[in-house]
Amino acid sequence: MTRKLYIRPIALADSPQSEEGEAVRLGGAMVWASRFALIVREEDGKVVSRERVSAAQMPTVLAALPADLGAMAETQWAGLRKVHAPIQCGARTIRFEQPQVMGILNMTPDSFSDGGKFLDDLEIAAAHAAAMLEAGAAIIDLGGESTRPGAAAVWEGDELKRVVPMVERLAAMGAAISVDTRRPAVMEATLAAGAHIINDVSALRYDPRSLELAAGSGAPVVLMHAPGKADDLHSSADFDDVVLDVFDWLEARRDACLAAGIARERIILDPGFGFGLSLAQNLALFNALPLFHALGQPLLVGVSRKRMIGALSNEAPAHQRLGGSVALAVKAMDAGAHFLRVHDVSDTVQAVRVWRGLRDAALTDFSQLPI
Ligand code: 9MG
């Protein structure tokens, strides 16, 4: 790696009429930014310069950069402002101008929050999925293998038995379905059964066949960062700078997927909160979410009921982390996240609606109305 440049939005606004002058819209979401930090770091990971630049100054500043940084900067500047095309999930169209809620359905005995609740009873699981859809979930994310720290790996045959019948039920309901799996055989069988999206917490690294399978399927893929090897996603990493390292990692995985033939419009990126990160690293990454728009892909955030909330709230157990989950969902929306992966769909959808109402009002000119 030679030296690299990053454009991090640092002043966000709820409308283009920012106090600080011209603002640009991030990732086609209802979020604008008027000021940015241009960060340069050397090959050894050291940050060597940081410069504050306004949206209005950006074209001039970028044009004056040396060639090696200029091209990178132009790509990121375009990525930050990219409006993402909707994705089609069967009859459902998922649009990105407002945050979309992805409801979690774990058909596992051991997931950290809802393990064992749905595994043995398809009817209870189907009723829970139907309730999440009715409450406003745009997508159901179905998993048959727990990704919590220390969870035992599942035999592929068992994973298939857990998820395929449920995919068929969800497809019959007309749901948009993503499947949380690391195994190409599970991806293939669930897509054939009616699933639409692959959500792989190993970012298609666990099995080398996944890249080819995903490319051939034409399905959208969620690539999540995890610092560990693909079979140990929770091992911690030695970061130079957690934010910039995760950015580089996601960029490299995105590029590997593009090289394997996955279309750009089908790639969704996810910083992977809670996977192998300390509390301080999770918080730094969360505060830096707007930077990830520079990768030019829709962003997914999964923090629902995670340990970082317990760590900040007197070790509250997973089922008592609703307040923290909604607080982080709102912060993620403020940062322009396109998808929120959550357990508590109706509470999160209510937060999305209130947030959206505020944003709509910020875009409305009330000056002509009587006081
Ligand atoms: C399966 N799973 C658990 N946590 C997750 C997260 O944060 N993101 C994604 N994409 N999947 C997750």
Side-chain angles (χ1 to χ4, degrees), residues 102 104 106 112 141 143 145 147-148 180-181 199-201 222-224 270-275 300-304 306 341:
M102 178 185 251
I104 300 169
N106 285 319
F112 78 97
D141 187 46
E145 180 184 51
T147 55
R148 76 173 164 77
D180 146 28
T181 186
N199 174 24
D200 183 352
V201 293
V222 181
L223 305 176
M224 196 198 79
D270 178 347
F273 292 100
F275 283 79
L300 186 148
V301 170
V303 279
S304 176
K306 282 194 177 167
R341 181 182 180 276

Side-chain angles (χ1 to χ4, degrees), residues 7 9 11-18 20-36 53-59 76-82 293:
I7 307 181
L12 299 185
D14 56 7
S15 77
Q17 284 84 40
S18 137
E20 302 189 41
E22 187 184 324
V24 297
R25 191 171 183 183
L26 298 181
M30 298 178 79
V31 172
W32 287 262
S34 56
R35 293 190 78 76
F36 302 82
V53 179
S54 71
Q57 293 165 327
M58 193 63 84
Q76 288 188 31
W77 185 231
L80 283 166
R81 293 171 298 148
K82 188 162 169 195
H293 290 293

